[in-house]
């Protein structure tokens, strides 16, 4: 018996027939990269940045002509951890492509030569480098880019959550990376980030090293009309139906966030028998179940938010979106401490990416957290 594939794929590789829209964005990304340009890919979290890159990298024009490398640096806290993550990815994705590239790796990475292991069966080096081996991470970083210049195909390197480098204690990381990336002859870069304000400053300010060094692609929510057609089609070709109102309530509830839309539609498809219709009532129930499923996780996250910040967070949730967060009216209505205290809390909440600011309006970054607060916190 062949298992039925749920077409609303949440994790892992998404075949083209189950990938929703992003035609304009994918064409831009393909065009920029194949014309040796770097790209800034900005979007809120869970909007589908990684899936878009994977989708484009799976195209024959990229897959057959380039070496693709991806790292996520959200959990890194300094330059050494960045270099360690990049070195691992380059060894895995590049060095293992051939015996020549494998043997070349330790020859170029002179700062780490004493730390390489050796596989006597295959007569090749092994990458068993430890974080503590990176005595001079800035020099090792330079060697990594020198190695990329010696590969047999052009490299495309994706650095996800790129804004994280602004939190490193080292003061020259942006300038250092910009210098090495500018000097490389055999690679282009996708700088993906979810904190749009920081990414905009990094690439849009004349005072910053990465100013004007990459083309910009912003991912907004997929249009409701497009998503409705996509959902109806996948239900219908599997002998199932779904009410427009069911799709609309999911889209509106999660503000078009791709991951959450897909998660609820995955559940809706699973709950709908062949020949039956998913109703708005079923969608409402699945939304409630999903919020309840994440209750413990969100409560634990909020435990680490200081009281003054939490008060401002709840006030924003009540009025979202908010423009004048330090106005006397906003402070008085929500019985907050003072405009200066609110300003300090706003800065801290934005640093931790709990709230975001776009077009002068403040909102909670995670629509699921916003929903939980609206349902569980007294106004």
């Amino acid at each position: 018996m062949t298992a039925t594939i749920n077409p609303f794929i949440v994790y892992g590789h998404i075949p083209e027939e189950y990938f929703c829209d992003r035609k304009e964005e994918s064409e831009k990304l393909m065009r920029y990269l194949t014309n040796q340009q770097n790209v800034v890919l900005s979007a809120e979290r869970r909007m589908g940045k990684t899936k878009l890159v994977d989708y484009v990298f799976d195209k024959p024009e990229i897959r057959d002509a380039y070496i693709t490398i991806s790292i996520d640096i959200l959990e890194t806290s300094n330059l050494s951890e960045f270099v360690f993550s990049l070195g691992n990815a380059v060894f895995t994705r590049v060095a293992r492509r051939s015996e020549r590239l494998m043997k070349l790796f330790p020859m170029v990475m002179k700062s780490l030569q004493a730390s390489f292991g050796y596989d006597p069966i295959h007569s090749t080096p092994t990458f068993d480098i430890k974080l503590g081996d990176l005595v001079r991470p800035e020099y090792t970083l330079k060697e990594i880019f020198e190695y990329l210049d010696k590969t047999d195909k052009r490299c495309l390197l994706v650095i996800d959550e790129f804004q994280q480098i602004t939190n490193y204690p080292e003061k020259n990381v942006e300038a250092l990376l910009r210098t090495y990336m500018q000097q490389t002859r055999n690679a282009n870069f996708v700088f993906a980030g979810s904190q749009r304000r920081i990414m905009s400053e990094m690439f849009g300010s004349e005072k910053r090293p990465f100013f004007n060094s990459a083309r910009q692609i912003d991912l907004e929510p997929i249009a409701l009309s497009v998503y409705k057609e996509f959902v109806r089609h996948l239900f219908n070709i599997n002998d199932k139906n779904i009410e427009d109102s069911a799709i609309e309530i999911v889209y509106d509830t999660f503000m078009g966030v791709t991951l959450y839309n897909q998660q609820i539609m995955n559940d809706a498809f699973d709950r709908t028998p062949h020949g039956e219709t998913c109703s708005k009532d079923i969608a409402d129930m699945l939304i409630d179940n999903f919020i309840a499923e994440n209750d413990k996780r969100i409560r634990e996250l909020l435990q680490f938010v200081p009281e003054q910040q939490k008060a401002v967070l709840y006030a924003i949730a009540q009025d979202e979106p908010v423009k004048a967060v330090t106005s006397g009216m906003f402070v008085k209505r929500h019985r907050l401490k003072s405009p200066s205290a609110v300003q300090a809390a706003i800065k801290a909440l934005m640093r931790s990416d709990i709230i975001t600011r776009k077009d002068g309006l403040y909102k909670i970054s995670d629509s699921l957290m916003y929903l939980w607060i609206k349902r569980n916190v007294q106004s």
Side-chain angles (χ1 to χ4, degrees):
M1 180 178 176
T2 304
T4 300
I5 295 177
N6 191 315
F8 298 96
I9 297 171
V10 180
Y11 302 106
H13 175 258
I14 301 179
E16 185 167 359
E17 63 268 29
Y18 300 142
F19 192 85
C20 181
D21 194 46
R22 298 299 188 198
K23 293 180 180 178
E24 180 180 346
E25 296 93 337
S26 60
E27 288 172 1
K28 279 186 178 180
L29 183 57
M30 174 79 75
R31 186 169 67 252
Y32 293 156
L33 292 177
T34 54
N35 282 282
Q36 296 79 53
Q37 297 190 65
N38 300 328
V39 177
V40 177
L41 183 60
S42 298
E44 296 177 17
R45 284 188 188 160
R46 307 171 186 89
M47 199 61 75
K49 297 188 303 298
T50 302
K51 296 301 182 187
L52 173 64
V53 171
D54 290 345
Y55 174 73
V56 171
F57 281 6
D58 199 39
K59 298 285 188 180
E61 300 95 314
I62 298 291
R63 186 182 64 239
D64 298 341
Y66 297 86
I67 303 171
T68 58
I69 309 159
S70 298
I71 60 171
D72 186 336
I73 64 169
L74 182 62
E75 302 302 323
T76 63
S77 58
N78 55 46
L79 180 60
S80 289
E81 292 179 6
F82 175 93
V83 174
F84 184 74
S85 178
L86 179 59
N88 268 299
V90 169
F91 182 82
T92 301
R93 294 290 299 167
V94 183
R96 289 180 175 172
R97 287 174 53 84
S98 70
E99 183 178 344
R100 182 188 76 83
L101 288 172
M102 181 71 82
K103 291 182 176 180
L104 181 64
F105 194 70
M107 293 172 61
V108 176
M109 306 296 292
K110 296 176 182 178
S111 64
L112 298 176
Q113 277 184 343
S115 302
F116 280 96
Y118 185 76
D119 182 350
I121 297 177
H122 299 95
S123 299
T124 56
T126 58
F127 190 76
D128 53 0
I129 308 300
K130 303 295 185 291
L131 191 58
D133 296 327
L134 298 174
V135 179
R136 297 177 60 192
E138 68 283 355
Y139 189 71
T140 303
L141 181 64
K142 180 175 183 291
E143 292 172 336
I144 290 173
F145 284 106
E146 289 174 351
Y147 177 73
L148 293 180
D149 276 343
K150 299 178 185 299
T151 58
D152 54 341
K153 290 184 178 181
R154 193 169 186 84
C155 299
L156 300 178
L157 174 59
V158 183
I159 308 176
D160 201 5
E161 301 300 348
F162 186 67
Q163 74 280 336
Q164 183 65 18
I165 69 170
T166 63
N167 296 320
Y168 292 172
E170 297 88 356
K171 301 301 181 185
N172 65 335
V173 175
E174 285 184 59
L176 190 69
L177 281 173
R178 174 70 171 122
T179 298
Y180 292 154
M181 290 174 177
Q182 198 170 29
Q183 291 173 350
T184 186
R185 305 180 303 277
N186 197 41
N188 286 98
F189 306 89
V190 177
F191 308 101
S194 59
Q195 292 182 264
R196 288 178 162 182
R197 178 185 61 83
I198 299 176
M199 294 292 287
S200 178
E201 290 174 358
M202 292 176 73
F203 290 89
S205 171
E206 295 181 6
K207 299 178 181 179
R208 305 288 283 267
F210 279 97
F211 171 66
N212 213 22
S213 63
R215 303 298 295 269
Q216 180 76 37
I217 299 177
D218 291 311
L219 284 192
E220 300 295 343
I222 295 168
L224 174 58
S225 59
V226 174
Y227 193 65
K228 282 167 66 174
E229 183 179 347
F230 169 76
V231 172
R232 284 196 303 262
H233 171 71
L234 292 183
F235 267 75
N236 292 341
I237 63 173
N238 287 280
D239 191 29
K240 301 183 181 186
N241 293 290
I242 184 169
E243 295 176 358
D244 279 0
S245 59
I247 306 172
E248 290 163 1
I249 193 62
V250 172
Y251 185 96
D252 292 342
T253 297
F254 292 106
M255 305 172 200
V257 173
T258 305
L259 177 61
Y260 295 149
N261 289 345
Q262 287 289 96
Q263 183 65 71
I264 301 301
M265 287 305 156
N266 181 286
D267 293 341
F269 184 89
D270 176 58
R271 294 290 189 98
T272 306
H274 289 285
E276 299 294 326
T277 299
C278 177
S279 66
K280 178 181 177 296
D281 289 341
I282 293 174
D284 281 329
M285 177 196 69
L286 294 173
I287 291 169
D288 290 342
N289 290 348
F290 186 58
I291 295 172
E293 177 185 324
N294 286 274
D295 179 85
K296 182 179 179 182
R297 180 182 66 84
I298 294 174
R299 288 183 187 276
E300 289 175 347
L301 285 172
L302 291 172
Q303 284 178 358
F304 293 97
V305 179
E307 184 178 348
Q308 291 297 326
Q309 293 179 33
K310 202 175 295 184
V312 174
L313 175 65
Y314 293 165
I316 290 174
Q318 187 175 341
D319 289 5
E320 183 178 299
V322 182
K323 183 175 183 180
V325 290
T326 57
S327 69
M329 184 179 296
F330 182 79
V331 172
K332 184 177 180 180
R333 182 168 66 253
H334 294 288
R335 297 191 287 278
L336 300 172
K337 192 173 181 180
S338 67
S340 60
V342 170
Q343 186 64 48
I346 289 291
K347 289 181 179 179
L349 289 167
M350 291 187 69
R351 277 198 305 271
S352 56
D353 200 30
I354 295 175
I355 65 170
T356 187
R357 183 173 181 263
K358 183 181 179 184
D359 298 328
L361 299 173
Y362 294 90
K363 56 175 284 191
I364 296 173
S365 301
D366 184 356
S367 58
L368 180 58
M369 177 181 283
Y370 167 76
L371 286 170
W372 186 93
I373 292 173
K374 294 287 285 186
R375 294 189 179 200
N376 291 279
V377 178
Q378 288 280 340
S379 61

